[in-house]
Amino acid sequence: MDARWSQLGGNSRKNIAKTLTTTTIALLRTQPTQFDPVKVRTALREWAFNTNRRPDAPREVTAVLRWVERNSLPVSAWEDPEKVDHVLQALDTRLDGKPAAAWSRKRHRRILNVAMNYAVKRRILRANPLPKGRDATTGTKTTNAVDKRCLINPRQAAALLGWIRQRPRGGKRLHAFFATMYYCGPRPEEVVAMRVADVHLPDADAADQWCELLIHTATPEVGKQWTDTGEIHEQRHLKGRAEGDTRTVPGHPALTRVLRQHIEEEELKPGDLLFQGEKSGILAGSVIRRAWRSARKAVLAPHVFESPMGRRVYDLRHTRLTKWLNDGIPPAQVADWAGNSVPVLLSIYARCVDGQLSDLKRRLEAAGDLEDLPTAD
């Protein structure tokens, strides 16, 4: 953790700490009975594997970590295949005993492989003890494809955004936020980072009322204990793009109207955040998620609310990118607007592209059938 800390973002630091915590507990000689299991996991995850916080660990945390140190198996334990299997089983299992999600299992194994390779390079281990080939991926098959059930149809989107707009507390501001996601498909951490100057609005009397968004920064919410600044959010360059890279996305005239009204009513200046929290800071993820969940519960029928349809705010992005593809926008253009590569875009959304089968059939029929050749005697 210390060797890689400065190279990693907050979420990566957090994920490594989770993996190393589970691994450490799995390699104890005996499970702690004098300490609350939750406190043991917290001491490891939040203090032992947090480079910035470790020197300031409180006395009760230090007592737990000293016990863990005394009861940890030596590195030679990795040469025992049964111990390796035990660790992998722990990483593949949730605290309630149920199997962990496939993506979680895959991430744990990837992180643990990095740690093992680190040990090999420094001659702490002779070889990476983790299984390779098919044994390494058993039960961890994953897919990038979006579940079509999570997509939101226009009628549902209108009802959800309309309900949010009527909220007495911050409703109009949140409505503008969700409308931006619905019409332009950016990631949530990109929307909260936008400034007023990043929005190009046409003149009110212009014939073309399409706006344009400049997206150049992301501020993911990772927790203040995992950032170097002590802030809940950290500023990052765009996902999948070179540092300093930008992209522009066209905004529907309906979004132009929403954003123009939002900027005027909030009396925002060019350097201000486009979407602010109540104290003019970054709009908190908890506020966004709570408003979205409340809208779904209020608007949707109970069976739809319990379904995957729009369960996550991110599903607004999935909906927009799918709609662009279904409307016939070339994948290369959609990928550019979305900030993805074309292969990644198609692997995620290929199953959601529909409504084009009849046109494809007409094209295939236009090619004609094989001509009838005379039969040989």
Side-chain angles (χ1 to χ4, degrees), residues 124-324:
I124 300 170
L125 289 174
R126 288 178 293 182
N128 187 335
L130 300 180
K132 299 174 179 61
R134 291 187 177 182
D135 292 340
T137 57
T138 301
T140 57
K141 295 185 183 299
T142 57
T143 178
N144 290 329
V146 168
D147 185 348
K148 294 175 72 170
R149 297 176 300 169
C150 78
L151 302 180
I152 308 165
N153 66 45
R155 193 175 197 176
Q156 292 166 332
L160 290 166
L161 267 62
W163 186 91
I164 289 170
R165 183 175 176 78
Q166 299 303 317
R167 290 179 86 235
R169 187 174 177 179
K172 291 184 178 180
R173 182 187 306 123
L174 287 167
H175 171 264
F177 172 90
F178 290 120
T180 301
M181 285 205 63
Y182 177 76
Y183 283 111
C184 292
R187 299 175 179 91
E189 61 266 27
E190 295 170 344
V191 186
V192 297
M194 290 180 62
R195 302 278 173 176
V196 176
D198 298 329
V199 181
H200 174 69
L201 296 175
D203 294 335
D205 57 352
D208 183 355
Q209 283 298 305
W210 283 77
C211 63
E212 189 175 74
L213 307 185
L214 175 65
I215 300 176
H216 56 83
T217 307
T219 53
E221 190 176 69
V222 298
K224 59 184 179 182
Q225 69 269 40
W226 300 106
T227 63
D228 293 326
T229 61
E231 300 292 332
I232 295 176
H233 297 78
E234 68 175 357
Q235 186 166 309
R236 306 280 293 173
H237 55 79
L238 299 182
K239 183 177 180 180
R241 296 288 181 111
E243 188 171 351
D245 202 358
T246 66
R247 72 177 194 270
T248 56
V249 187
H252 193 278
L255 179 63
T256 300
R257 293 191 295 271
V258 170
L259 292 181
R260 180 180 284 122
Q261 183 178 3
H262 168 69
I263 293 171
E264 290 176 355
E265 291 183 352
E266 297 284 326
E267 299 181 351
L268 299 176
K269 307 299 182 186
D272 292 342
L273 285 169
L274 183 61
F275 304 110
Q276 303 177 359
E278 291 188 348
K279 297 182 180 179
S280 301
I282 295 177
L283 188 59
S286 58
V287 173
I288 296 168
R289 291 187 295 272
R290 188 163 55 245
W292 185 249
R293 188 180 189 281
S294 297
R296 289 184 76 248
K297 191 169 185 179
V299 169
L300 304 177
H303 71 281
V304 181
F305 174 76
E306 296 296 335
S307 75
M309 197 288 299
R311 183 175 293 168
R312 302 184 307 158
V313 174
Y314 207 95
D315 291 331
L316 286 165
R317 171 177 166 85
H318 290 326
T319 297
R320 173 49 49 186
L321 270 57
T322 298
K323 191 173 190 315
W324 277 335

Side-chain angles (χ1 to χ4, degrees), residues 3 89 102 131 237 349 369:
Q89 180 63 32
H237 55 79
Y349 298 102
D369 200 352

Side-chain angles (χ1 to χ4, degrees), residues 25 35 42 99 105 110 115 223 254 280 327 339-340:
I25 293 175
F35 299 113
T42 301
R105 301 198 300 271
R110 183 174 64 246
S280 301
D327 287 345
N340 284 335

